[in-house]
Amino acid sequence: MYKIMIADDEEPVLESFSLIINRDVKQFELCAAARSGYEAIELFDDLKPDVVFMDIQMPGIDGIETIRRIRQDYPGTVFILATAFERFDIAKKAISLGIFSYLVKPISRRTFLEELDKVHQYLDKRKERRSRSFSLEQDNSRDRERLEQRYLTRLSRGELEKEEWQAFEAFGRFQTDRAAFFIIGNWQEGMDDLKNRLNYRYLCFSARMGNRLLLLFPEIQELSGVYQTVLECLADLSGRDDPEAFTVGCGGIYSFQELSHSYREALEPFLTDWDNSAKEWEREQLLLLRGYLKRGERMEFTECFKDFYNHQFSHCSFDLARGKMIEAFTLFRETMDWYVPGDHYLDEFSAVEEIALLNNEKEWELWWPSGISRILADIKETKGEPLPQPLEKAISYIQENYQEPIYLGSVAEACQVSTGYLSRLFSEHLETTFVNYLNSLRTDKALELLKRGDLNIKEIAFRTGYQDPNYFSRIFRKFKGCSPSEVC
């Protein structure tokens, strides 16, 4: 049975349609009757109806604006729009929002029932398609691993939309909007054994990130003991009792829209370890290499990498230099995120395993050109290419409004495109995500303000769009390789 909400400020309409649904309709359950757009939005988060019968003219915000706001978080909702006047301008706006149907009042009982029957057939077919899709996913374990990798990657970047999260819930057979990320590093052997042990105790999902393991724990279980359980499993499987032997990053519990925060928190111990152990020159070179990758500058990347590895092999033992190359390729992998435009994900590139098998510098010289070629194979040369107009609009909008709260949905709306399309434009043409582009611009602006020296860190955080100075400091370190206080 599907849930339906009626939103109309006319009491007779509410009573009439409520009576019809409760008395004559078996496929739908009336979950709410809202008398304004604001009330409909307020009720939506708790009730999550499948269908909304929405009047256009209501006090406060009208039906079109109400639908637009609900669509941002619940794109799969079916809307039937009703109006007392047949107007082309309203119909045009309704079509752009993906309205299921557009009815002109007064609406007869027969028309109302026929419309609900069409919606019921549509929802059943959509449910059947999803069910077939999920069955195929679950029948093939390799496809399941790839899907799991894809879901976790998009969640870590803050790109998963409501309908995709619902698909993930069905895929994983759980139901909650909240979860937490963990990252395990400094230990590669027995990752599958670790996942199996954790799955005895918790429902969790995993993805490999170079020599690290990314874990996601939905909040359908008590998660306060996960960190200790992970340490115990690591100690048991490795035979080492020292907790300091492993790096385990633990993120907080967030709603699915904000899970990128949990991922960044879990990544913090690794960023700190890197900054504390790397020399200033190494950090600068790696930041340069990372920038070349993002911008698709192949020649510059290759030449810079040659200088980087020549320096390491000439100043370090082979084993130490080999370890630094493993760290570098892990960073390259995370920068690329192994995402190729067009919703196609690359097969796993096991650079870590391949480099670990090299025995001397001669073998490295033979290996590295192919390793770099695989990194660069799917990077587009971006220099001189005109950007699509929606992307240019998005960049201008971000540059003008970076000091204010900005979200992918608000920028997409300003550019009059969908969030999914805009996200793909950033990936395909700028080799980065929307969130990373925004943070990169904001930290550039913050660096300029820090060098001026007339503002404190808290003021600079606010002026560059960050409401939390601690979060600003973490993001600044990630993009600039040092803390704001080190610049001051």
Side-chain angles (χ1 to χ4, degrees):
M1 183 177 291
Y2 301 105
K3 294 187 291 186
I4 185 170
M5 173 193 288
I6 306 293
D8 198 302
D9 64 326
E10 298 180 31
E11 205 65 39
V13 174
L14 288 176
E15 292 178 0
S16 174
F17 288 145
S18 298
L19 179 62
I20 293 173
I21 293 170
N22 291 329
R23 185 184 63 189
D24 303 327
V25 179
K26 295 181 180 179
Q27 303 93 339
F28 291 94
E29 171 193 3
L30 181 65
C31 66
R35 291 161 180 79
S36 70
Y38 288 119
E39 186 179 3
I41 293 171
E42 186 178 346
L43 291 169
F44 210 97
D45 284 332
D46 292 330
L47 301 174
K48 298 180 179 61
D50 303 290
V51 182
V52 180
F53 187 92
M54 180 76 69
D55 183 33
I56 286 185
Q57 298 299 330
M58 291 188 293
I61 59 174
D62 63 19
I64 293 289
E65 179 60 25
T66 303
I67 293 171
R68 183 178 288 111
R69 295 190 187 186
I70 293 174
R71 271 266 187 261
Q72 292 178 1
D73 294 324
Y74 303 96
T77 307
V78 175
F79 289 96
I80 302 172
L81 195 60
T83 178
F85 305 99
E86 189 169 5
R87 289 169 46 187
F88 176 74
D89 60 327
I90 293 177
K92 187 177 179 181
K93 289 180 181 178
I95 291 170
S96 70
L97 287 171
I99 304 301
F100 184 84
S101 58
Y102 176 76
L103 304 178
V104 179
K105 290 181 176 181
I107 301 167
S108 67
R109 175 181 175 277
R110 178 179 177 180
T111 300
F112 185 67
L113 289 173
E114 287 176 350
E115 206 59 40
L116 289 185
D117 187 55
K118 292 177 186 176
V119 174
H120 177 247
Q121 292 180 35
Y122 167 78
L123 290 172
D124 276 355
K125 288 180 181 178
R126 187 173 74 177
K127 189 175 182 180
E128 184 180 349
R129 286 196 303 269
R130 288 179 177 177
S131 179
R132 285 200 303 267
S133 174
F134 298 148
S135 296
L136 289 172
E137 292 170 359
Q138 292 166 356
D139 288 341
N140 191 315
S141 60
R142 186 175 180 184
D143 286 345
R144 184 178 178 85
E145 287 179 6
R146 288 181 175 178
L147 281 168
E148 204 165 312
Q149 181 96 20
R150 177 179 178 176
Y151 281 129
L152 266 62
T153 299
R154 286 176 60 77
L155 281 168
S156 69
R157 300 187 309 197
E159 294 179 353
L160 210 67
E161 297 182 4
K162 179 66 178 180
E163 194 164 11
E164 291 175 283
W165 176 262
Q166 291 171 341
F168 183 45
E169 286 180 315
F171 167 79
R173 298 181 180 178
F174 67 91
Q175 190 170 8
T176 179
D177 283 343
R178 293 166 60 79
F181 270 122
F182 280 66
I183 300 177
I184 300 172
N186 295 354
W187 182 68
Q188 299 175 50
E189 298 180 1
M191 280 190 177
D192 289 334
D193 291 335
L194 174 62
K195 288 188 291 184
N196 291 336
R197 291 203 180 195
L198 291 173
N199 277 321
Y200 281 122
R201 301 271 304 268
Y202 302 95
L203 174 65
C204 68
F205 304 91
S206 61
R208 288 178 179 266
M209 298 176 62
N211 61 343
R212 300 172 190 162
L213 182 65
L214 180 64
L215 297 168
L216 180 76
F217 294 84
E219 196 188 25
I220 58 169
Q221 54 211 329
E222 175 56 51
L223 300 182
S224 59
V226 172
Y227 182 80
Q228 188 60 37
T229 301
V230 168
L231 290 180
E232 291 172 358
C233 290
L234 286 171
D236 188 38
L237 289 169
S238 66
R240 291 183 287 179
D241 294 326
D242 180 13
E244 298 296 324
F246 312 105
T247 302
V248 179
C250 173
I253 301 172
Y254 291 87
S255 63
F256 79 92
Q257 299 102 323
E258 299 177 317
L259 272 173
S260 59
H261 297 323
S262 182
Y263 172 75
R264 287 192 289 266
E265 290 174 3
L267 194 61
E268 188 69 24
F270 300 91
L271 297 175
T272 302
D273 289 347
W274 182 280
D275 287 338
N276 289 339
S277 62
K279 296 177 182 178
E280 188 65 28
W281 182 87
E282 292 177 353
R283 184 162 59 242
E284 289 176 358
Q285 292 301 302
L286 288 168
L287 288 172
L288 277 175
L289 287 164
R290 189 178 184 186
Y292 292 144
L293 271 183
K294 289 181 177 181
R295 295 188 296 272
E297 297 172 350
R298 304 183 186 188
M299 185 179 297
E300 292 85 347
F301 175 83
T302 303
E303 291 302 315
C304 184
F305 181 73
K306 285 181 183 178
D307 292 339
F308 178 73
Y309 87 71
N310 279 327
H311 181 274
Q312 302 296 357
F313 280 102
S314 63
H315 288 81
C316 308
S317 67
F318 174 77
D319 287 343
L320 180 56
R322 180 176 59 186
K324 291 179 181 292
M325 294 305 103
I326 288 174
E327 291 285 359
F329 271 81
T330 300
L331 183 65
F332 300 157
R333 182 189 179 107
E334 290 170 1
T335 301
M336 289 295 295
D337 219 9
W338 293 118
Y339 176 77
V340 179
D343 293 332
H344 170 67
Y345 285 76
L346 291 173
D347 291 333
E348 184 174 352
F349 171 31
S350 54
V352 171
E353 290 82 357
E354 292 178 20
I355 296 174
L357 293 174
L358 301 177
N359 295 309
N360 51 56
E361 194 170 344
K362 184 177 180 180
E363 291 184 5
W364 162 259
E365 290 287 351
L366 293 172
W367 180 88
W368 82 264
S370 66
I372 292 298
S373 295
R374 280 179 281 178
I375 287 275
L376 299 176
D378 291 278
I379 297 180
K380 291 184 177 180
E381 194 71 49
T382 58
K383 286 185 175 178
E385 292 185 5
L387 297 177
Q389 190 175 16
L391 184 56
E392 288 186 347
K393 286 184 178 179
I395 291 172
S396 297
Y397 182 90
I398 293 170
Q399 290 174 342
E400 292 172 5
N401 299 280
Y402 71 89
Q403 295 174 309
E404 306 297 328
I406 296 180
Y407 305 97
L408 179 62
S410 62
V411 178
E413 184 176 355
C415 300
Q416 296 182 322
V417 296
S418 69
T419 55
Y421 178 64
L422 185 59
S423 178
R424 286 196 298 273
L425 289 181
F426 274 93
S427 295
E428 292 175 12
H429 294 275
L430 299 181
E431 298 295 338
T432 188
T433 64
F434 166 80
V435 172
N436 281 346
Y437 180 87
L438 176 60
N439 282 325
S440 179
L441 174 67
R442 283 174 165 171
T443 52
D444 284 346
K445 300 293 185 182
L447 183 60
E448 293 174 8
L449 294 174
L450 284 165
K451 288 181 177 179
R452 276 172 35 186
D454 57 347
L455 297 172
N456 61 41
I457 292 174
K458 186 176 181 180
E459 290 172 325
I460 291 173
F462 291 151
R463 289 199 181 191
T464 52
Y466 296 100
Q467 301 305 308
D468 182 352
N470 292 327
Y471 177 63
F472 161 69
S473 295
R474 292 200 299 271
I475 293 298
F476 189 90
R477 176 182 290 275
K478 177 181 178 182
F479 280 85
K480 299 304 178 186
C482 62
S483 68
S485 58
E486 291 177 284
V487 177
C488 296

